[in-house]
């Protein structure tokens, strides 16, 4: 019993420490160079420029993964398979997946002084899936989601993330003034990060839309700036319900929030993700086993994404 109390106490102390330190990374970045970088990026990308003639790409897509990743290129094989299938089905859509959304500087957990901890946890969860210790990765990234959604610290963090999205787009052929729309796809906590980055991206002159796949997000100001939000919801996904519960701006009586403004404007489309769980087997990216309805979840997710990116998402509209 004594050891149990000590373990619980230690876990609680670690959680409190994580929570207190969560905003410091983006605040330090802003204080040292973030403000200058943001002004330069805004001036460069937001400056009027003639659109490129006959662009080969109809749309750029930036994928932001869930809270279980340790780096921008650390996607699961299931996620990569879905993104590859979407890219194959839509040759004129450029799919990008190299941004780590849980850092204002796109600095992966393996690029830090504590990389020994995160790399070991990442290896451990691949060997022992039932172990709870690697969930520290999720806890760390969830706290960054809360930073993004916090009206005090969010603008700083989201400015950094928006710049990382711009730099990623430029690495893959996007140029300021090209006129090509950008869609951010966010899985789980990545949906909040996508909305958080959208405000500055839209103010720079981009045409930005967001796709949430089992997303956990609040009433972020980005909802006022995006062209549209498609919200793919699995009927067995309990985690995605944390958004409507945890963020008061999404409560039914908060009619003046950005979320309800977007609903009233008709800029939110809810899509049926099928009888899927949030993550792991039987989730949105499951590509082997059919779900209870006989459909392989990954195939449904691919179809929904290709419909959305191919301007056919309205065919699957349901009420929020």
């Amino acid at each position: 019993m004594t050891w149990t109390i000590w373990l619980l106490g230690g876990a609680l102390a670690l959680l409190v420490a994580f929570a207190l330190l969560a905003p410091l990374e983006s605040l330090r970045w802003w204080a040292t160079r973030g403000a200058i970088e943001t002004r330069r990026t805004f001036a460069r990308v937001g400056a009027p420029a003639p659109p490129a003639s006959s662009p080969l790409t109809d749309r750029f897509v930036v994928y932001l993964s869930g809270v279980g990743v340790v780096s921008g290129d650390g996607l699961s094989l299931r996620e990569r398979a879905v993104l590859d299938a979407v890219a194959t089905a839509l040759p004129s859509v450029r799919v990008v997946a190299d941004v780590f959304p849980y850092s204002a500087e796109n600095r992966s957990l393996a690029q830090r002084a504590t990389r020994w901890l995160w790399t070991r946890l990442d290896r451990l969860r691949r060997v022992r899936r039932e172990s709870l210790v690697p969930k520290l990765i999720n806890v760390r990234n969830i706290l960054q989601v809360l930073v993004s959604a916090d009206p005090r610290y969010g603008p700083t963090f989201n400015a950094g993330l928006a710049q990382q999205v711009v730099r990623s787009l430029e690495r893959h052929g996007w140029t300021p003034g090209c006129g090509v729309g950008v869609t951010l796809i966010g899985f789980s906590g990545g949906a909040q990060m996508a909305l958080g980055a959208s405000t500055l991206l839209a103010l720079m002159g981009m045409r930005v839309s967001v796709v949430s796949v089992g997303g956990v997000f609040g009433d972020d100001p980005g909802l006022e700036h995006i062209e549209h939000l498609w919200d793919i919801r699995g009927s067995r996904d309990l985690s995605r319900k944390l958004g409507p519960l945890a963020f008061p701006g999404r409560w039914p009586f908060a009619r003046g929030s950005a979320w309800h403004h977007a609903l009233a404007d008709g800029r939110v489309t809810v899509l049926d993700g099928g009888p899927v769980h949030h993550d792991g087997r039987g989730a949105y990216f499951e590509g082997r086993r059919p779900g209870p309805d006989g459909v392989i979840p990954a195939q449904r997710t691919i179809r929904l994404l290709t419909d959305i990116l191919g301007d056919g998402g309205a065919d699957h509209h349901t009420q929020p």
Side-chain angles (χ1 to χ4, degrees):
M1 179 64 71
T2 302
W3 281 108
T4 302
I5 294 175
W6 275 106
L7 286 174
L8 291 176
L12 180 60
L14 185 62
L15 179 61
V16 172
F18 271 27
L20 293 175
L21 294 173
L24 295 186
E25 179 182 339
S26 58
L27 291 177
R28 182 175 61 252
W29 165 78
W30 182 264
T32 55
R33 63 184 187 279
I36 296 175
E37 290 181 359
T38 300
R39 286 196 294 269
R40 289 175 177 172
T41 302
F42 195 95
R44 177 172 55 83
V45 177
S53 59
S54 303
L56 298 177
T57 301
D58 292 337
R59 178 165 294 274
F60 283 88
V61 172
V62 180
Y63 178 73
L64 305 178
S65 189
V67 295
V69 293
V70 298
S71 65
D73 58 358
L75 305 185
S76 68
L77 295 177
R78 292 171 177 172
E79 289 174 296
R80 289 196 177 279
V82 168
L83 295 178
D84 288 345
V86 171
T88 300
L90 300 172
S92 62
V93 172
R94 182 74 58 85
V95 180
V96 179
D98 59 3
V99 175
F100 180 55
Y102 306 102
S103 168
E105 304 174 85
N106 199 23
R107 194 158 55 101
S108 75
L109 299 185
Q111 294 175 311
R112 302 159 186 262
T114 54
R115 61 182 178 274
W116 59 271
L117 171 64
W118 305 116
T119 53
R120 289 183 181 180
L121 291 177
D122 192 34
R123 286 197 300 265
L124 178 60
R125 68 177 176 178
R126 298 175 191 278
V127 176
R128 300 179 58 185
R129 296 180 180 274
E130 72 283 357
S131 177
L132 294 178
V133 177
K135 295 299 182 183
L136 283 174
I137 296 172
N138 299 60
V139 171
R140 186 268 172 199
N141 290 339
I142 287 171
L143 290 173
Q144 294 304 309
V145 173
L146 296 178
V147 170
S148 172
D150 192 310
R152 299 166 298 176
Y153 308 117
T156 298
F157 181 96
N158 295 329
L161 179 56
Q163 290 183 83
Q164 301 311 319
V165 170
V166 169
R167 291 170 184 171
S168 176
L169 288 170
E170 290 181 322
R171 287 194 298 269
H172 292 85
W174 180 89
T175 56
C178 68
V180 179
V182 175
T183 298
L184 307 179
I185 300 178
F187 166 57
S188 186
Q192 168 58 41
M193 313 318 258
L195 288 172
S198 293
T199 296
L200 188 58
L201 295 177
L203 292 176
M204 290 178 184
M206 291 189 192
R207 296 186 294 109
V208 186
S209 56
V210 172
V211 179
S212 163
V213 181
V216 180
F217 56 89
D219 59 316
D220 193 274
L223 288 160
E224 301 279 17
H225 298 279
I226 61 174
E227 293 184 343
H228 205 88
L229 167 67
W230 288 272
D231 189 9
I232 300 176
R233 301 177 178 179
S235 60
R236 295 186 173 187
D237 181 357
L238 299 181
S239 296
R240 67 98 187 154
K241 296 181 179 180
L242 292 173
L245 291 174
F247 296 102
R250 293 192 61 186
W251 295 354
F253 58 79
R255 295 297 179 182
S257 70
W259 167 251
H260 286 284
H261 286 168
L263 286 176
D265 293 344
R267 290 184 293 109
V268 177
T269 299
V270 177
L271 306 177
D272 180 13
V276 297
H277 300 289
H278 188 72
D279 200 4
R281 292 184 178 180
Y284 299 94
F285 301 102
E286 170 62 62
R288 296 181 180 180
R289 303 171 183 83
D293 57 352
V295 178
I296 295 177
Q299 293 181 353
R300 180 190 291 105
T301 302
I302 293 168
R303 175 175 57 81
L304 290 172
L305 292 177
T306 53
D307 282 353
I308 292 168
L309 300 174
D311 296 328
D315 295 340
H316 304 279
H317 178 269
T318 62
Q319 293 299 320

